[in-house]
Amino acid sequence: MEKFLKQGKRKAVGNLHSMPALRCIKFEDNTLHLLDQRILPTHTAWIAHSDHIQVAESIRNMTVRGAPAIGVAAAYGMALAALNQADWSQAKQTLAESRPTAVNLFWALDRLDALTDKSPESVLAEAQAIEAEDLSMNHKIGESGATLVPEEATVLTICNTGSLATAGHGTALGIIRTAHQQGKVKHVYSCETRPRQQGLRLTAFELLHDKIPFHSIADSAAASLMRAGKIDFVVAGADRITANGDTANKIGTYMLAVLAHHHNIPFVIAAPSSTLDPNLPTGDHIPIEERDSTELTHAESIQIAPDNCPVYNPAFDVTPGTLITAIVTEQGILTPPFNIK
Ligand code: MRU
């Protein structure tokens, strides 16, 4: 296995709010630029990557995160490998070892592996196609998914599934965006998303950017909001969806699905077809990533737990397909019983 090397150079840029549309991935001049999501929203910097090993490290350390964005970044990682004439199989393996749960990573790597022409031009063109297709799929997901959102809806979501998690627009957040543009969304409640707080840091940033009315909430506030009748619709993204509709997504998603079921609230999953894994029959087969204990024991760099506190930190959970009202992909709306092919 190739060793992860130090990351590329970090470069400060201007205020993201002044940009026309949020983006987290740019490929220019044979260099992959990734917006550093570990320091958003208080700091803005792009990290330049000139080889696939740096890209693998940025996926592992979550400079780039979100299933579709990971797939796009990995595709550009392979384009860099081709440009640098690195060993193809070794580069593919290095990228494949960066994170285990989001199937988009393996989907993108397999798609590039299937190219008969692996010249740098051809691999780069395919990576660009993967990025462009993701953006277009997200707009379609937004349009279909918005038809499920009730008028004047208060919507609950978790993690970050927007432009910062994809090539643009987003999946679950894409549905919220489109439904909001159609005047259907009255308010959003965005779960903080412990322990890495993608909701508080990134979704709040995107909702502010789009001027969508919202409150960030502690994850543990979701139940009482539902009980109070304040949630009309729950929508979440996915990292992997198996043949029977079981869905791996950010830890805490399953809890929301159980709560939504109890309170009779629609619970919808949004994902592009690159997130489907029909090869796995059920969610029991999905590898669930466990991350470092410091994500819980430390707030930024300050220790908040006792020394040697034992920690269990799974990054994802699996929501059974039986708790999901609908799965929205770019191909349309699937309803139970799911039989994904
Ligand atoms: O650990 P992360 O931040 O990569 O987890 C992200 C999620 O769980 C998202 O909900 C999922 O990848 C879908 S993003 C469109």
Side-chain angles (χ1 to χ4, degrees):
M1 187 190 70
E2 292 179 82
K3 278 239 157 35
F4 293 132
L5 291 180
K6 256 186 105 215
Q7 273 189 292
K9 247 187 167 168
R10 186 180 281 179
K11 196 173 91 184
V13 295
N15 181 358
L16 274 186
H17 289 275
S18 60
M19 293 184 181
L22 286 174
R23 289 174 69 186
C24 63
I25 299 171
K26 285 191 288 193
F27 194 89
E28 284 165 7
D29 303 328
N30 292 345
T31 305
L32 177 65
H33 302 271
L34 296 174
L35 184 60
D36 190 347
Q37 301 197 32
R38 298 167 305 171
I39 57 172
L40 279 175
T42 50
H43 297 85
T44 307
W46 290 84
I47 295 184
H49 302 72
S50 54
D51 68 42
H52 67 277
I53 300 175
Q54 294 171 342
V55 177
E57 173 59 15
S58 280
I59 295 173
R60 191 198 59 75
N61 70 22
M62 295 176 66
T63 296
V64 62
R65 32 70 46 201
I70 291 171
V72 174
Y76 281 120
M78 289 308 289
L80 289 173
L83 282 160
N84 294 331
Q85 297 181 324
D87 182 273
W88 179 267
S89 310
Q90 210 172 33
K92 185 181 173 207
Q93 194 187 335
T94 297
L95 284 158
E97 284 168 354
S98 57
R99 287 190 81 185
T101 304
V103 76
N104 309 58
L105 170 69
F106 310 99
W107 169 87
L109 294 175
D110 288 344
R111 180 162 156 177
L112 295 179
D113 211 21
L115 291 174
T116 40
D117 173 8
K118 293 191 177 60
S119 65
E121 298 74 25
S122 153
V123 180
L124 179 56
E126 194 69 5
Q128 286 165 332
I130 287 174
E131 182 181 9
E133 284 167 28
D134 187 63
L135 180 60
S136 134
M137 289 192 286
N138 292 336
H139 282 285
K140 289 183 183 150
I141 290 168
E143 289 294 329
S144 297
T147 64
L148 300 173
V149 177
E151 295 292 337
E152 293 279 292
T154 295
V155 181
L156 178 73
T157 192
I158 183 168
C159 197
N160 173 262
T161 58
S163 299
L164 297 172
T166 63
H169 195 66
T171 57
L173 194 49
I175 291 178
I176 292 173
R177 275 202 163 100
T178 303
H180 176 256
Q181 283 158 9
Q182 296 172 355
K184 287 175 115 180
V185 174
K186 192 166 77 184
H187 203 79
V188 175
Y189 284 103
S190 167
C191 288
E192 172 193 23
T193 317
R194 293 284 302 153
R196 286 189 74 103
Q197 296 172 309
Q198 291 94 328
L200 184 66
R201 296 187 300 106
L202 308 175
T203 300
F205 180 79
E206 292 204 40
L207 291 167
L208 282 168
H209 179 273
D210 280 29
K211 300 188 171 53
I212 299 175
F214 77 102
H215 282 101
S216 287
I217 58 165
D219 300 327
S220 41
S224 64
L225 279 172
M226 288 192 198
R227 183 167 162 76
K230 290 193 175 158
I231 306 294
D232 304 309
F233 188 80
V234 183
V235 63
D239 286 83
R240 197 186 289 237
I241 302 173
T242 60
N244 67 345
D246 289 357
T247 296
N249 191 51
K250 181 52 53 196
I251 190 78
T253 305
Y254 174 40
M255 187 167 69
L256 295 183
V258 172
L259 288 171
H261 184 72
H262 180 76
H263 293 94
N264 206 15
I265 298 167
F267 179 89
V268 171
I269 290 290
S273 53
S274 49
T275 306
L276 305 177
D277 189 358
N279 296 325
L280 296 187
T282 73
D284 295 343
H285 303 269
I286 300 176
I288 299 294
E289 177 183 16
E290 283 180 39
R291 293 193 66 88
D292 200 86
S293 60
T294 52
E295 290 187 352
L296 268 93
T297 58
H298 288 64
E300 299 299 334
S301 52
I302 299 166
Q303 186 179 329
I304 53 173
D307 286 344
N308 306 318
C309 175
V311 163
Y312 171 53
N313 184 23
F316 301 95
D317 58 26
V318 175
T319 299
T322 47
L323 290 178
I324 298 171
T325 313
I327 296 175
V328 184
T329 76
E330 78 283 2
Q331 287 156 10
I333 299 171
L334 303 170
T335 49
F338 300 108
N339 182 16
I340 288 161
K341 297 204 181 1

